[in-house]
Amino acid sequence: MSTLVVLGNGFDLACGLKSSYSAFFDKRYNNEEFEKNWGIFLNSSVDYIQYFSEENIKKWNFWDFIFGFRVYDPFLISMLPGKFSNMHFFKSINDHIPLNVLSSSSIGNNSNETWQDIEEVLSTISKSIANESGVIHSNVVKSIKEYISNGKVNCSFLAEKREQTMILFLSKLYILKFKNDALFPLNLKNKGFLNRFLLHELRQFEIIFTEYLIEEVNKVNKDYIIKANELLRQILTEVELNEDYDVKLLNFNYTTPFYNNDSFYVQNIHGTLKNNNTIFGIDNHNAEPSLKNFTKTYRILEMSIDRLSFVDAINNKNIGRIKFYGHSLGKADYSYFQSIFDGINLYESDVVLEFFYSNYDPEIDEKTNLTNRIFDLISEYGKTLDNKDHGKNIVHKLVLENRVIIKEI
């Protein structure tokens, strides 16, 4: 028999690494440099777009605009250092960006939030702006064309002032960054030019995050590696820790705390800090064709990330248990779980799913939260089964057969 272990960001957090998005955002946005470089823009009541100099704007990124600001009215922009609750900017353009996730008070209020929240934002924004048939996409293209021709943007055709803010920012950002870049020419006849720009900005944002996380790992490197290996030993049984037992790890983190351990094979499915190929992305499940470049599947291919061990793991007919720790089980990674469950024939097999959790905050009911996520994940998977009755019954079947186990460690 063999065991597959799936690790998410909660694993690194439990080992003392500041790998949460709230910690990353706090470091990036809650500092003097951010305030200095963006102070005029954040507080100006005039045509603030003119205050973006080429030197200044190249330090920042379109995704900084999304994650770093919130807008209450056209001339009042407040910094949002790692907190997303009541983001009225997105509410104001809800007709085009139904970003309910950002108006939820559950996001950004504590360091235990998961990366699925960020990836859901990425998904919604990409669908709204990069979707070539969408309203916002056409408005951005129109404003960029006008900026090229006239050196300014007339957004009078937009009824929503806050939408103007985003489009003005995106337009000038595009022009300032790439007007003299021979490798990235402005080709307005090509419909994909805006998508390429957003992907370029996403890659730069990934590099920024990689640099942040490398710095954090270096701060706690020895202690982090010790804690990671100790926590893994708590997840595995004595039998599984035997060198002759087949254990494979699917690590959704970018860190490599087990690189000196030859007892099992580890796959960092979204790249590693060491190889500088970390990726963010949206799930391939139900993704629109125009957004394929933003999917994790496409980005893995693009970045040439090794995935042979993933294929080997999910096609391993000897798997007896799959163990999860620290993963949100959210929509952003649904395609991976579908592949895993298909590979083991979850409904008909005897494979046991074990979900581990740790309680670090007495005010958070981790077990109930995890139980809800497990129920949602397996129920969603059930919808893909050819036998619809099996699909509706799959959670009940697994529970009766004692094949879903939740443990605290």
Side-chain angles (χ1 to χ4, degrees), residues 66-121:
I66 297 300
F67 294 125
F69 305 147
R70 62 175 172 181
V71 180
Y72 293 101
D73 60 54
F75 306 118
L76 178 59
I77 305 175
S78 299
M79 283 172 49
L80 190 67
K83 296 182 183 296
F84 285 157
S85 58
N86 300 317
M87 187 175 274
H88 299 297
F89 165 59
F90 291 103
K91 289 182 180 180
S92 71
I93 55 174
N94 199 51
D95 287 345
H96 304 311
I97 303 181
L99 207 51
N100 298 326
V101 62
L102 283 182
S103 62
S104 169
S105 60
S106 67
I107 296 177
N109 289 333
N110 66 77
S111 60
N112 295 321
E113 290 299 338
T114 60
W115 273 101
Q116 71 161 323
D117 301 316
I118 295 302
E119 289 163 339
E120 193 165 347
V121 173

Side-chain angles (χ1 to χ4, degrees), residues 175-396:
I175 300 298
L176 289 178
K177 282 195 171 185
F178 299 109
K179 67 179 180 182
N180 296 318
D181 193 337
L183 297 177
F184 205 100
L186 288 168
N187 184 3
L188 297 179
K189 293 182 179 179
N190 186 333
K191 288 185 176 181
F193 82 98
L194 183 55
N195 293 38
R196 293 198 306 275
F197 169 61
L198 292 179
L199 279 170
H200 175 275
E201 291 292 280
L202 181 60
R203 182 57 192 145
Q204 295 305 306
F205 202 69
E206 291 165 347
I207 292 172
I208 291 166
F209 175 73
T210 297
E211 293 171 349
Y212 161 80
L213 196 53
I214 287 174
E215 182 180 337
E216 293 302 314
V217 170
N218 289 338
K219 290 178 183 177
V220 296
N221 188 41
K222 187 176 293 186
D223 288 341
Y224 164 64
I225 291 175
I226 292 173
K227 289 179 180 179
N229 282 274
E230 287 179 349
L231 182 54
L232 182 60
R233 281 194 290 271
Q234 292 182 59
I235 295 171
L236 298 174
T237 64
E238 289 296 326
V239 173
E240 291 166 336
L241 287 169
N242 188 298
E243 290 186 359
D244 296 328
Y245 198 91
D246 182 22
V247 175
K248 287 185 171 61
L249 269 64
L250 289 182
N251 193 348
F252 282 79
N253 301 318
Y254 310 111
T255 49
T256 52
F258 312 110
Y259 66 93
N260 281 331
N261 194 326
D262 298 326
S263 301
F264 37 77
Y265 191 90
V266 183
Q267 168 71 66
N268 291 76
I269 197 68
H270 291 152
T272 65
L273 302 178
K274 179 181 178 181
N275 294 329
N276 194 29
N277 60 353
T278 60
I279 65 165
F280 301 157
I282 65 176
D283 189 62
N284 191 58
H285 183 61
N286 294 329
E288 300 170 14
S290 63
L291 300 178
K292 67 179 182 182
N293 293 12
F294 292 89
T295 65
K296 292 180 180 179
T297 303
Y298 184 94
R299 313 262 356 264
I300 288 172
L301 288 171
E302 179 186 42
M303 299 296 287
S304 300
I305 297 173
D306 174 47
R307 57 266 185 198
L308 292 178
S309 62
F310 177 77
V311 175
D312 182 46
I314 65 176
N315 290 326
N316 187 345
K317 302 303 180 184
N318 292 321
I319 289 180
R321 288 180 181 269
I322 302 178
K323 299 187 172 186
F324 302 81
Y325 185 96
H327 200 290
S328 63
L329 311 178
K331 296 178 182 178
D333 292 319
Y334 175 77
S335 291
Y336 294 110
F337 296 121
Q338 181 178 354
S339 297
I340 292 171
F341 294 161
D342 283 347
I344 62 171
N345 189 11
L346 181 61
Y347 190 90
E348 299 291 349
S349 73
D350 296 323
V351 177
V352 175
L353 307 181
E354 288 190 64
F355 299 87
F356 295 84
Y357 72 96
S358 301
N359 259 321
Y360 294 101
D361 188 339
E363 296 184 2
I364 298 176
D365 187 349
E366 291 288 356
K367 184 175 183 179
T368 298
N369 290 341
L370 178 58
T371 302
N372 287 332
R373 295 197 299 269
I374 294 168
F375 188 93
D376 291 344
L377 172 65
I378 298 176
S379 296
E380 184 67 23
Y381 173 70
K383 296 176 183 178
T384 69
L385 299 182
D386 292 334
N387 187 320
K388 299 307 176 185
D389 289 333
H390 284 183
K392 294 176 182 178
N393 184 53
I394 187 169
V395 177
H396 183 69

